[in-house]
Amino acid sequence: MAYDRPPAPGDLALIEGLCNSARFLKREDLLVSLDSARAWANARDLPGVAEALDVDSLTWLRRAREAVRGHLEGDREAAGYLTGLSSELLGAPRWGAEGEIVLPVATEEPVRRVVAEVLSVLAVAELADRRARLKVCRSPECRWVFYDRSPAGNGGWCSMEICGARHKMRTYRERRRG
């Protein structure tokens, strides 16, 4: 069944958690209304987010989420949008106590802080070459974000039983028609 993969390891789960607030294959989006977004924030234990959400910040949060998903898919326009957000929401890079790179969050507003934390994790993961296995399902109807644990790191489907099987069936039918 789709969406049964274990969460991404460590801080990458933060990126996965934001992106997967939408389950397009099931036509569910937890950021579609203020009530569902507040429930999502409370379930994820995001301090102050539920109280800070309004229509404008919810729209902004959805746009940021889809830009992160787009960036994971290689969309250069999405990457440009995230660059702008990063310059607004993140401080200058620093080295942490263990010698790791840290991109500090430079906002206290709760909704923006969630996105800033996602961007910080994403940027640091890319610098450390840890983000490559965080992928978006190749099915255009799905686009679920998952951590690819396949030995070769070449998985493309959230689930071979659902999206992979649908792709194989479409390909088979196209070959038979041709």
Side-chain angles (χ1 to χ4, degrees):
M1 173 178 183
Y3 313 132
D4 63 353
R5 288 179 177 261
D11 55 0
L12 294 177
L14 184 64
I15 300 166
E16 197 178 62
L18 175 63
C19 290
N20 291 340
S21 62
R23 300 184 335 163
F24 299 121
L25 193 60
K26 295 185 176 195
R27 293 182 178 91
E28 296 174 357
D29 187 347
L30 299 176
L31 303 182
V32 75
S33 73
L34 285 172
D35 288 339
S36 63
R38 288 177 178 139
W40 171 81
N42 287 331
R44 297 197 62 81
D45 197 26
L46 300 172
V49 173
E51 298 79 19
L53 276 169
D54 60 22
V55 172
D56 291 336
S57 62
L58 181 56
T59 301
W60 181 85
L61 182 59
R62 277 193 310 265
R63 181 164 186 218
R65 175 192 67 194
E66 292 313 310
V68 170
R69 187 189 316 276
H71 173 66
L72 294 175
E73 291 176 306
D75 181 337
R76 293 174 83 61
E77 189 174 311
Y81 179 72
L82 294 181
T83 297
L85 284 182
S86 295
S87 67
E88 176 186 336
L89 301 175
L90 299 175
R94 295 185 175 89
W95 279 264
E98 304 294 319
E100 75 280 9
I101 297 171
V102 176
L103 286 171
V105 172
T107 180
E108 291 303 316
E109 196 284 318
V111 177
R112 297 174 80 73
R113 185 171 183 77
V114 167
V115 172
E117 289 172 2
V118 166
L119 294 177
S120 177
V121 168
L122 180 60
V124 170
E126 288 184 1
L127 287 170
D129 201 27
R130 294 185 308 114
R131 202 281 300 163
R133 287 185 178 255
L134 196 59
K135 298 180 178 180
V136 179
C137 181
R138 285 189 267 178
S139 172
E141 309 80 49
C142 180
R143 299 181 69 223
W144 182 255
V145 174
F146 66 96
Y147 188 80
D148 179 10
R149 288 180 167 80
S150 67
N154 61 0
W157 312 107
C158 66
S159 165
M160 277 309 295
E161 292 80 24
I162 304 290
C163 292
R166 287 179 179 178
H167 173 74
K168 286 180 179 184
M169 185 54 71
R170 270 187 238 123
T171 303
Y172 171 78
R173 287 180 183 148
E174 287 172 12
R175 276 196 314 261
R176 298 242 350 177
R177 274 187 226 133

